[in-house]
Amino acid sequence: MRGKINSSLTVLHHLEYLDLSGNNLGGVGVSIPRFLGSLQSLVYLNLSFMNFDGKMPSQLGNISRLQYLSLSCYGYGNISRLRTDDISWLSHLPLLRLLDMSFVDLNGTADWVQVINTLPNLRTLILSGCELAL
């Protein structure tokens, strides 16, 4: 698919599984839509390989039932990428079992270890190419 994610998805109140990975719904200056944070029933969200750019929305922390979250942004060979300097919103996802933020620029995130430690059910953590510092 090409284009953008339509906000009409928010009418799907019982949607539990959303995988849009590999679709070109991003581009330079196109970030992950904030309205995705209103999809309260999601347990699975995969937005990887979508060519998003810009800051990651903290509204994703509103999806408290989420168990699987993939936001990896490699694969298109361009320099556009997701970034954030605050991942504290992750602490609102206590059921999270898998988190993949590969190649999301986390360079400005000083407290990432402490935030990850607040996720009691996390079993898989993938942070390849995130420019992290300990």
Side-chain angles (χ1 to χ4, degrees):
M1 289 192 299
R2 289 185 159 292
K4 66 179 189 173
I5 301 175
N6 194 306
S7 62
S8 64
L9 278 176
T10 59
V11 301
L12 302 172
H13 301 290
H14 302 290
L15 185 67
E16 293 182 358
Y17 187 102
L18 180 60
D19 187 340
L20 296 171
S21 63
N23 289 292
N24 193 6
L25 301 175
V28 175
V30 179
S31 59
I32 296 173
R34 293 179 178 155
F35 67 79
L36 291 177
S38 65
L39 296 173
Q40 298 288 318
S41 296
L42 283 182
V43 294
Y44 181 102
L45 179 59
N46 189 345
L47 300 175
S48 59
F49 309 110
M50 292 189 59
N51 200 24
F52 285 121
D53 183 33
K55 283 197 135 189
M56 189 168 302
S58 61
Q59 288 83 356
L60 294 177
N62 296 335
I63 314 173
S64 60
R65 295 182 58 203
L66 213 50
Q67 296 177 27
Y68 178 101
L69 179 60
S70 181
L71 302 170
S72 57
C73 60
Y74 55 91
Y76 282 97
N78 62 13
I79 58 171
S80 300
R81 59 187 301 175
L82 287 171
R83 66 187 179 286
T84 187
D85 54 7
D86 180 13
I87 60 169
S88 61
W89 56 270
L90 283 171
S91 63
H92 300 287
L93 306 176
L95 303 177
L96 202 61
R97 297 181 60 79
L98 182 141
L99 175 62
D100 183 357
M101 294 178 70
S102 298
F103 294 91
V104 173
D105 185 351
L106 299 176
N107 187 36
T109 309
D111 61 344
W112 69 271
V113 174
Q114 292 83 358
V115 172
I116 296 300
N117 275 331
T118 66
L119 302 172
N121 292 299
L122 191 66
R123 299 296 176 261
T124 304
L125 176 63
I126 306 167
L127 298 174
S128 302
C130 290
E131 300 181 28
L132 291 169
L134 292 176

